Structures are given as structure tokens and as C-alpha cells.
Amino acid sequence: MANLQQGEQGPAVGALQNQLIQLGFLFGVVDEDFGPATAQAVRDFQRRVPLRPDAIVGSRTAAALSQALGSSPPFPTSPFRQLRQDAAASGANDDKLPGLDRGFNTSPFQDQLPGFANALSATPDAVTTLSYPVSPATFQPYPTIGQIPQVLEGRDGRGGLEFLSDEVAQACVAVGGFQQGSPLRVRWYGRQASGLNVQFWSATKFAAALQLICQANRLQPTLPIDRCDVVGERSGASRRESFGDLFTEMVSYSKGVPHSNAVAWMLKQIRSPGQPDLQSWLRSITGNAALRLNGPYGEGAYLIGARLVGPAGILVPHLDLERTRNILSAYDLTRLLTMLGWHRHLSTDQQLPGAQWSSLTTAIRSLAHDTARYVDIAIERLGLINQVQAPVVLSKLGFGTTAPGFPEAPALTYAAFAQFIDTRSTPGRQRSVALVLRIPTGQGDGPRHDARMATEVTEILRRLFAEEFR
């Protein structure tokens, strides 16, 4: 058969579009016009197979399409078309996106939040629960502080994260396994995951809160951060608010975007003299010496002169910060999330410096309240809601548009740590993963890219539960 490619028209293109629609890769109707949307759908299919993602339908791609449609159930398939249909039916727009703005109160796991910390403390016992199968040839010991792990990058649709749509510009995935009696081993996958610092927008906000926990715990290791407040001035009056509540409000946007932005910038300025600023601290942990993270989020500090106080008085004072930007790599955010989620299984030289579990449980509670629920959507789409136990979902969204002072292109970003016990077999299997994705976007593209984010997170979790990360 003759190759089909962008720019062509006719019944053959219509037949191709019908196949892509049946498999879920193409949203829209058959119009027999091989335009950009059809080309994107072809590339997405080719990456899943995998074949070279060139958007040219030659004999190999045509055969793969026929094979996918003929299998039972059809594979590979994509939830993209259904997600886009649902978004269109709901009237989604850039200001209200089905996945990004879904909200914690819709999560099927919200009632299990009190068990998140215990779930993260447990390891497979090889009797009731088995570890994710890890190979010593590919899974590495978790890196020590400042050490950059080997990240598998792919090319031409193969290896790394090349199964993801090319609409995903940067991505990093870390899969962990806990073999009984052995230290945690991890395999890192990426797409431009390290060495490229970009704007991840609000997805970076939780870093400052984690640094403040580390500072407080170094000073008073036995004092849980939940017993600490933030004190400062607002509108000329002294204010005192719970650190844990502020962290949760920053993540959940329960008091609005300006409040979240103001809290995030405020937390960066609570620091003891002689202690590193946020970007220096993170550089020392991840090994990325070029990241910058001392920038604001478009608002002034929520409280002026804010400091962290405990029962005995000031614990961490206010210290003005020289502003930079907020640019870092997908690997940096993934590393931070794994240091939180896997804290109980790391040695001292691998952990967040000084952090105590009694305080990190506050971070766990706060990050569970993220309004973006892409992991929840993935578990639902995969039909696993009633097939998992001991769930943990921690995440932070980021959605930025072009604004004065932000030269970077707008993007939809998502950083998440998820862990489950897969009960479809006996014993159950533990699934533990951290992921960070960044999709450049533009005005009016929000609904499409929201569906894209949910689609790609679903494919990552499908492969995790199918144990295809080897």
C-alpha cells in the first residue's frame, strides 16, 4: 500500500482516522483530511507500539493498527478520545479543567488518607505482599545525597519514556522495588529529564515546605512540625497560623491561587542565618548545580517578616532572599518526591537532611490534597479502583501562562508519588512510582492538554501494574 502522511486526503485517510478513533487516539470525526490532529494521533500510536514516531503510515504502521484492532481486548488503546469527549461535554476551558481542577474531595482514596504514612512505612513481607520485580542489572541502589542516578533516555520511540506522546516535552519516572531483606532499588526513566532546567510553575512549591521541615528538625528533632506555627504581619496586624494548615492551603488552593502563591513565596524566606537558601539546598541534594528556585510566584509574601515558631518561641527566623527564577529539571522534582515517599527505606546519607518522619507525615497529608487528580483518573480508567489496597497519592500541579516576569513558555505540569498494593493476584504486589511530566501549552489548549496529561499518567500506571518497567 502507498504511504499516508500529513497533507493527504481521501477515503484511505478516512479509514485510517476511523481506526485511530476506535483505538482512542484521535478525538473528532472522520473528515478524510490528514491534518495535524491525525498526525499527532498516528505518532502517539506509533510510540505505544513502538515504531519510529514519524506520523507516516507505511506497511508496518498499517499492520500494527490492524493487529491492535484485532486483538481482544484491543491493544494498544488510549483513553485520550474519551477524556476529550468528557471535557467537551462538561464545557471545560482553560479556567476549569476536568483533571487539573477535579479536587481532593472527589478522590476515591480520600477516606484512606489517615493510612498513607503507615502504607509508606511498610515493606513487602514476601508472604502477603511481594515486591515489584527488580533486576540487579537495571535497578540501582538509591543514590546518596548529591549523586545523580543513571536515567534511561530513549530515542525514536524506543527505550526510556518514548512511549509517551511527543506533546510531553520533559518527563521523569522512578520505579522502586523492595526485595525482602535488601535495600530499595530504583530504575530511573526520562525524557529530557536532567540537564535541562525549565519552568514547572506551581509544581515546585512543595520544595520550600520540605526545606523548612528539614531546618526545624535539625534544630529540634523531637518536635513535630505540626506543633509549629508561622508568625508574621498582615495588613499591619500580627498573625499566627499553623504551618500544616498553610502547607495544605498552598497545595489545595482552598483559599485561591493568590493565597497559594503568596504562601509559597513566604516559605522560601523563612531561614536561619548560615543555612543555605532553597536553591542551594536543592542543588546539594539532587546534584543539579544549575537549577534556580529562589523566585516568587507572582504575589508578595502572605505574611511579612514570617518566621517559624514552636512551643518555646522562634525556631526559624525570617531572612530576606535574593530573587532568582524557578527553573529546574524533571529529575529534580522526581528526586524530591522519592525522598519523601521512600524516606522510611533510605539510609541517612540518602534522606532529606535532618527530616524526621513525625514531621514528614505533615507533608504527606498536605500533598494528598492536591486538586489535580490524574493518578486517580488513571486508576479509574484502568479498572483498578477495587483492586488496590494501601493507596498513597501525593502530588502537586503546575499550570502557568505567559505573564510579566515569566519569560518561559506556558505549560501544564504534574509531579506525583503513588503507591498501591495490587490485589489481583495472591500474594499482592506492591507498586511504587514517582513521576513528573511537563506539557507546553497555549491559550485555548488547556482541555486538550489536560486530557493528554491524564492519558500519559494512565499509560505510565498501566505499565507499572503490568510490570513492564524492567
Side-chain angles (χ1 to χ4, degrees), residues 283-327:
R283 286 173 177 179
S284 68
I285 287 174
T286 67
N288 178 4
L291 69 83
R292 299 181 183 181
L293 203 55
N294 286 349
Y297 295 90
E299 305 287 341
Y302 174 60
L303 298 178
I304 305 301
R307 56 260 188 215
L308 187 73
V309 299
I314 295 177
L315 192 59
V316 185
H318 174 85
L319 193 61
D320 287 335
L321 185 66
E322 182 178 354
R323 301 185 183 195
T324 61
R325 296 162 66 193
N326 294 324
I327 57 170

Side-chain angles (χ1 to χ4, degrees), residues 46-344:
Q46 289 171 325
R47 286 185 180 278
R48 292 285 202 268
V49 177
L51 293 168
R52 182 181 178 86
D54 56 9
I56 298 173
V57 182
S59 58
R60 295 182 66 189
T61 299
L65 284 164
S66 296
Q67 183 178 8
L69 287 165
S71 61
S72 180
F75 181 80
T77 59
S78 170
F80 179 72
R81 179 172 181 268
Q82 186 62 55
L83 289 165
R84 285 289 287 118
Q85 285 182 326
D86 293 346
S90 70
N93 55 50
D94 286 354
D95 295 324
K96 187 65 176 178
L97 299 174
L100 188 79
D101 300 309
R102 190 174 187 184
F104 174 68
N105 61 353
T106 70
S107 175
F109 308 120
Q110 62 173 312
D111 293 339
Q112 299 181 65
L113 172 56
F116 281 14
N118 286 338
L120 292 174
S121 299
T123 53
D125 59 10
V127 178
T128 62
T129 309
L130 300 178
S131 169
Y132 191 93
V134 298
S135 167
T138 54
F139 282 68
Q140 315 161 35
Y142 194 86
T144 56
I145 291 174
Q147 178 187 8
I148 300 176
Q150 180 182 358
V151 180
L152 177 64
E153 298 265 359
R155 184 179 179 182
D156 291 341
R158 294 177 173 81
L161 299 178
E162 287 301 284
F163 60 84
L164 297 177
S165 170
D166 51 27
E167 290 198 291
V168 178
Q170 286 83 31
C172 187
V173 171
V175 178
F178 305 84
Q179 298 284 16
Q180 187 182 29
S182 302
L184 167 71
R185 297 187 73 89
V186 183
R187 191 160 200 203
W188 303 77
Y189 298 82
R191 174 182 292 174
Q192 297 193 81
S194 57
L196 178 63
N197 297 320
V198 294
Q199 174 70 263
F200 279 87
W201 303 96
S202 292
T204 66
K205 288 178 179 176
F206 72 94
L210 290 182
Q211 188 207 21
L212 188 50
I213 288 173
C214 290
Q215 289 189 75
N217 284 172
R218 277 197 298 269
L219 294 167
Q220 293 194 22
T222 61
L223 177 65
I225 198 75
D226 241 358
R227 296 182 59 195
C228 296
D229 298 326
V230 177
V231 176
E233 291 188 1
R234 185 167 182 82
S235 302
S238 178
R239 296 279 291 270
R240 182 179 184 128
E241 300 193 28
S242 161
F243 169 83
D245 288 348
L246 287 169
F247 193 169
T248 300
E249 291 162 7
M250 180 182 71
V251 173
S252 68
Y253 295 92
S254 60
K255 293 188 176 181
V257 173
H259 177 79
S260 174
N261 293 344
V263 169
W265 175 233
M266 175 190 71
L267 293 179
K268 292 185 180 183
Q269 299 175 72
I270 304 177
R271 177 167 56 96
S272 297
Q275 293 298 312
D277 57 29
L278 178 60
Q279 72 182 25
S280 299
W281 176 80
L282 190 54
R283 286 173 177 179
S284 68
I285 287 174
T286 67
N288 178 4
L291 69 83
R292 299 181 183 181
L293 203 55
N294 286 349
Y297 295 90
E299 305 287 341
Y302 174 60
L303 298 178
I304 305 301
R307 56 260 188 215
L308 187 73
V309 299
I314 295 177
L315 192 59
V316 185
H318 174 85
L319 193 61
D320 287 335
L321 185 66
E322 182 178 354
R323 301 185 183 195
T324 61
R325 296 162 66 193
N326 294 324
I327 57 170
L328 71 177
S329 72
Y331 151 71
D332 294 316
L333 284 177
T334 308
R335 178 72 176 268
L336 266 187
L337 284 171
T338 61
M339 294 176 83
L340 173 61
W342 292 331
H343 176 87
R344 300 285 273 179

Side-chain angles (χ1 to χ4, degrees), residues 12 14-26 30 57 61-62 65-66 69:
L16 167 66
Q17 290 174 325
N18 187 54
Q19 290 178 310
L20 293 168
I21 287 171
Q22 289 184 63
L23 293 171
F25 288 91
L26 180 62
V30 173
V57 182
T61 299
L65 284 164
S66 296
L69 287 165

